[in-house]
Amino acid sequence: MDRHSYLHLYRLATIEGELLASAALNRIRGQDPEAVCAVTAMAGFRFAGWHYDSRADLSPVCQAAAASIHNLALQSNSAGWQWALETERARRSESPMS
């Protein structure tokens, strides 16, 4: 595995860890739904910001990790996740200001 794959796995694992910790806190303490949404949305911004929502150049392991994280986020807080991905995609599609 090349060094870029390790970087991608590290980033993906960090996002996954945040989502899992947020879901666990929600189950244990009944975390505020807005806090769950905020954690999920921030993870979604990073996920889409690093193009894990649309990358075709990832190794099979990283592709599987990205798909797993996407599914986890949809289960945790679908609305926050989708909002973050759509917002980041819209930002990416805007043409740069001259």
Side-chain angles (χ1 to χ4, degrees):
M1 191 179 305
D2 65 21
R3 65 185 165 108
H4 294 300
S5 290
Y6 285 111
L7 174 62
H8 294 306
L9 281 176
Y10 174 79
R11 288 175 176 170
L12 290 164
T14 300
I15 292 169
E16 183 179 35
E18 291 172 3
L19 293 171
L20 288 170
S22 177
L25 282 173
N26 186 36
R27 281 192 305 270
I28 294 168
R29 294 194 288 202
Q31 188 178 15
D32 179 9
E34 289 183 17
V36 173
C37 187
V39 169
T40 305
M42 292 307 296
F45 282 127
R46 281 192 305 285
F47 187 85
W50 286 320
H51 302 269
Y52 294 127
D53 61 325
S54 61
R55 290 185 86 117
D57 65 336
L58 293 174
S59 70
V61 170
C62 291
Q63 287 175 359
S68 176
I69 290 165
H70 180 74
N71 290 332
L72 172 64
L74 289 175
Q75 291 172 7
S76 176
N77 186 283
S78 181
W81 182 257
Q82 291 294 354
W83 175 79
L85 266 56
E86 290 169 9
T87 301
E88 182 61 26
R89 288 174 187 149
R91 187 198 62 77
R92 285 193 312 231
S93 69
E94 293 175 355
S95 34
M97 298 193 118
S98 306

